[in-house]
């Protein structure tokens, strides 16, 4: 039977391909995060952001050229705002990491799929699916158990910096807005163009910051920085195409896989200890993410080609 005669089958196939891309994006993000942690022992954060952004600009520009796709698009203001908000969300996240216990910062950041679910319903009219919502909250519960933030699990909450908490929460809200914007742009803008704008804005904004703290990388550090840039491009491309094919709330929740991968990387690469509660959380997270990934009820919209 042709695709036209059986549109539901085609939509389900596109959605599953979108899920695969989103999981691939989570794997890539985990990989570049490990590399960033290694190179960040000596290279300042703004320098890492600048180099990875410039590499991403080059690859995205090449993808646009190969497809003979106009660079600047039709919704330039929204594309630029996507880049600006993406950069702001990144800065808020790293500010939280620097001024809060890492577990608190991660858990606050990963509230963003819940915000995305609500914003997508309000802005895009994407109806809340009961089964999908349960899995999203299941993923978040797993993240809480894996990270065990002092804010919830200990007495450190009273000593937490209220301003840092507010910044981290603002970052999660901005991140949700970014994902909704990407979803909104799917009808007119090619994924490579969205990636190009995002990286270009990040490069322009991080350049003065990086210049003021520049540390000359050695050959090995340059290799890691360039690899981070390539992984960033592949991550952004996979994530953007996935968001074109999978509803925003479900799509962003699949990013919870990053927490599970980060935990495993910590065990294998950094000899980090994991207690029983964390293993329970990892199990809850893995099961919820798997059920979310195999849920075929979410809607799909094909990505534009120009």
């Amino acid at each position: 039977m042709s695709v036209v005669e059986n549109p539901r089958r085609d939509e389900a196939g596109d959605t599953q391909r979108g899920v695969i891309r989103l999981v691939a994006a989570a794997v890539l993000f985990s990989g570049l995060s490990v590399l960033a942690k290694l190179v960040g022992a000596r290279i300042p954060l703004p320098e890492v952001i600048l180099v990875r952004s410039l590499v991403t600009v080059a690859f995205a520009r090449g993808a646009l050229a190969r497809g003979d796709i106009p660079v600047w698009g039709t919704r330039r203001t929204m594309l630029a705002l996507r880049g600006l908000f993406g950069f702001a969300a990144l800065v808020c996240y790293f500010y939280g990491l620097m001024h809060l216990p890492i577990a608190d910062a991660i858990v606050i950041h990963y509230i963003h799929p819940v915000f995305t679910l609500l914003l997508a319903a309000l802005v895009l009219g994407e109806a809340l699916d009961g089964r999908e919502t349960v899995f999203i909250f299941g993923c978040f519960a797993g993240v809480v158990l894996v990270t065990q933030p002092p804010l919830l699990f200990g007495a450190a909450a009273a000593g937490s910096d209220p301003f840092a908490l507010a910044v981290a929460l603002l970052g999660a809200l901005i991140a949700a807005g970014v994902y909704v914007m990407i979803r909104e742009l799917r009808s007119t803008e090619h994924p490579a163009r969205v990636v190009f704008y995002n990286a270009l804005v990040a490069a322009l904004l991080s350049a003065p910051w990086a210049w003021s703290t520049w540390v000359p990388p050695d050959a090995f550090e340059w290799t890691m920085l360039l690899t981070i840039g390539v992984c960033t491009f592949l991550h952004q491309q996979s994530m953007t195409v996935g968001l074109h094919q999978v509803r925003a709330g479900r799509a962003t929740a699949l990013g919870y896989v990053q927490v599970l991968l980060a935990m495993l990387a910590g065990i294998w690469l950094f000899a980090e200890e994991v207690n029983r509660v964390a293993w329970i959380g990892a199990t809850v997270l893995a099961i919820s993410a798997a059920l979310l990934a195999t849920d075929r009820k979410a809607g799909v919209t094909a990505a534009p080609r120009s």
Side-chain angles (χ1 to χ4, degrees):
M1 183 176 289
S2 69
V3 174
V4 174
E5 292 171 321
N6 193 356
R8 288 191 177 183
R9 181 177 178 181
D10 181 60
E11 287 185 359
D14 282 345
T15 301
Q16 288 306 105
R17 284 188 288 273
V19 166
I20 292 170
R21 288 187 175 100
L22 290 162
V23 173
V27 173
L28 287 163
F29 188 82
S30 298
L32 69 89
S33 296
V34 171
L35 291 174
K37 182 173 182 176
L38 292 172
V39 78
R42 199 178 76 91
I43 302 300
L45 170 64
E47 192 171 334
V48 177
I49 294 175
L50 176 61
V51 174
R52 80 172 197 163
S53 298
L54 290 174
V55 173
T56 302
V57 166
F59 274 89
R61 181 65 183 88
L64 291 168
R66 285 193 302 273
D68 196 25
I69 301 164
V71 174
W72 302 112
T74 57
R75 304 172 73 180
R76 299 178 185 180
T77 299
M78 182 171 284
L79 284 164
L81 286 174
R82 181 268 179 268
L84 177 61
F85 290 162
F87 182 79
L90 183 65
V91 171
C92 288
Y93 174 57
F94 279 109
Y95 184 88
L97 283 176
M98 289 186 292
H99 294 86
L100 294 171
I102 188 170
D104 286 352
I106 290 173
V107 166
I108 292 172
H109 174 72
Y110 276 101
I111 296 174
H112 73 75
V114 178
F115 288 156
T116 303
L117 191 72
L118 299 174
L119 280 175
L122 292 172
V123 178
L124 304 178
E126 294 183 354
L128 296 176
D129 181 277
R131 183 170 180 265
E132 192 176 310
T133 303
V134 169
F135 296 154
I136 290 173
F137 278 96
C139 288
F140 182 68
V143 170
V144 172
L145 293 175
V146 167
T147 57
Q148 298 168 46
L151 189 65
L152 298 177
F153 280 75
S160 296
D161 182 348
F163 181 74
L165 288 171
V167 170
L169 190 61
L170 177 63
L173 182 58
I174 294 173
V178 167
Y179 291 122
V180 170
M181 290 177 73
I182 294 172
R183 183 77 175 146
E184 170 64 22
L185 287 166
R186 74 192 187 280
S187 61
T188 59
E189 307 299 337
H190 192 279
R193 184 184 296 127
V194 179
V195 174
F196 173 79
Y197 265 86
N198 180 57
L200 181 61
V201 172
L204 292 173
L205 292 176
S206 62
W209 187 16
W211 179 261
S212 67
T213 60
W214 187 265
V215 173
D218 59 28
F220 180 66
E221 289 166 338
W222 270 119
T223 300
M224 284 198 291
L225 287 169
L226 294 174
T227 303
I228 289 170
V230 174
C231 288
T232 298
F233 168 73
L234 295 174
H235 160 259
Q236 288 284 319
Q237 186 79 354
S238 296
M239 184 266 291
T240 303
V241 175
L243 272 165
H244 281 208
Q245 297 177 313
V246 180
R247 290 195 309 183
R250 180 189 183 198
T252 54
L254 289 169
Y256 281 131
V257 174
Q258 296 167 14
V259 176
L260 184 60
L261 294 173
M263 186 187 91
L264 296 176
I267 295 171
W268 294 333
L269 299 177
F270 303 107
E272 296 177 355
E273 295 185 2
V274 177
N275 60 26
R276 185 176 301 177
V277 173
W279 281 114
I280 293 172
T283 302
V284 171
L285 174 55
I287 292 173
S288 298
L291 292 172
L292 188 65
T294 55
D295 182 5
R296 295 175 177 270
K297 294 182 179 180
V300 57
T301 302
R305 304 309 304 165
S306 63

